[in-house]
Amino acid sequence: MKKGMFICIEGIDASGKTTQAKLLVKNLNKKGYEAIYTSEPTRGFFGQILRQRILYGNKRVPAVIEALLFALDRLEHVEKEIKPALEKGKIIVSDRYLYSSIAYQGAAGLDPAWIEEINKWAVKPDLAIYLDVPAEVVIKRLGKKRSVMETLENQRKVREVYLRLVNEGKLMLIDGNRSVKEIGEEILQVVLERLKNRSL
């Protein structure tokens, strides 16, 4: 059976993750690969709770509650979408994944090791990309309707955690403070190179 490939794209809010994840899927499909887009929080039961009750509530809930809900949503995501796609040999591109939990709830004071422990069943991505954009830039991009996590102070803290993950070799940094076209071309080249090396 042809082995699939799992890619996730990470970054602070409004860093261009969704745009680049969808563009990558489009570009890979054009080149004859079978690629699909997915995202977290999902549209599943726990994902809907996160979107409707947690991210856009009046105030932020304890980080432990956030981390546990994201882990539950991720478990459903892995079992219902990621694993089945990989088993069919597809390339699955996820807009956010485990590293978002480590970055956001880690920035809120939780132990990253504990976050990894409650997500230890999560499928490890073949490639995890981090789009780096300064917090000041994304705050300008965000509209008036912001989630409880979309403050300048929080985005700075989250970026620090992401950069630490880059230094640990868990994420590949790509400069996200450029044109959509430039970023998209670089990501595509990185992915195509990985695909080429896998087939050798």
Side-chain angles (χ1 to χ4, degrees):
M1 184 184 291
K2 184 173 62 173
K3 189 187 174 200
M5 184 177 187
F6 179 30
I7 302 162
C8 68
I9 298 183
E10 295 278 357
I12 59 177
D13 294 282
S15 58
K17 300 174 309 303
T18 303
T19 299
Q20 291 301 331
K22 289 181 176 178
L23 182 60
L24 176 60
V25 168
K26 182 181 175 182
N27 287 335
L28 287 171
N29 285 331
K30 275 185 183 177
K31 290 190 173 291
Y33 294 99
E34 196 172 359
I36 56 174
Y37 169 86
T38 187
S39 65
E40 292 188 0
T42 69
R43 300 289 174 186
F45 178 75
F46 295 106
Q48 294 290 7
I49 292 173
L50 282 161
R51 290 174 188 276
Q52 296 168 11
R53 304 286 180 87
I54 305 298
L55 295 177
Y56 291 94
N58 293 326
K59 63 178 183 178
R60 194 166 178 182
V61 301
V64 170
I65 293 174
E66 289 176 357
L68 289 169
L69 281 170
F70 275 111
L72 286 167
D73 184 45
R74 187 164 298 118
L75 176 59
E76 191 172 36
H77 190 202
V78 167
E79 295 300 324
K80 289 187 175 179
E81 291 187 67
I82 296 171
K83 281 185 178 177
L86 292 175
E87 285 166 8
K88 291 173 183 172
K90 295 179 181 179
I91 299 172
I92 186 159
V93 181
S94 186
D95 174 358
R96 290 203 181 284
Y97 191 55
L98 168 61
Y99 308 101
S100 285
S101 289
I102 296 170
Y104 282 81
Q105 282 74 59
L110 292 189
D111 180 0
W114 179 78
I115 297 169
E116 289 191 30
E117 178 64 22
I118 64 170
N119 287 276
K120 65 183 180 182
W121 39 262
V123 174
K124 186 179 178 182
D126 296 291
L127 176 62
I129 291 170
Y130 164 63
L131 293 182
D132 187 44
V133 179
E136 294 75 14
V137 173
V138 300
I139 289 298
K140 286 180 182 177
R141 292 179 185 177
L142 290 165
K144 289 184 178 179
K145 189 184 179 184
R146 297 182 189 173
S147 79
V148 292
M149 298 184 192
E150 292 172 346
T151 65
L152 179 58
E153 182 186 6
N154 190 54
Q155 295 296 311
R156 282 174 175 160
K157 287 180 181 177
V158 171
R159 183 174 181 240
E160 284 177 17
V161 181
Y162 270 130
L163 291 173
R164 192 159 66 239
L165 291 170
V166 169
N167 290 332
E168 291 171 1
K170 294 177 179 175
L171 294 170
M172 174 186 284
L173 186 147
I174 285 182
D175 180 7
N177 201 17
R178 298 174 291 162
S179 71
V180 170
K181 185 173 183 288
E182 285 177 300
I183 301 164
E185 286 174 352
E186 183 176 354
I187 291 174
L188 180 62
Q189 285 309 118
V190 167
V191 172
L192 291 175
E193 191 64 32
R194 288 291 179 99
L195 286 165
K196 179 182 171 185
N197 289 337
R198 277 163 54 113
S199 63
L200 291 176

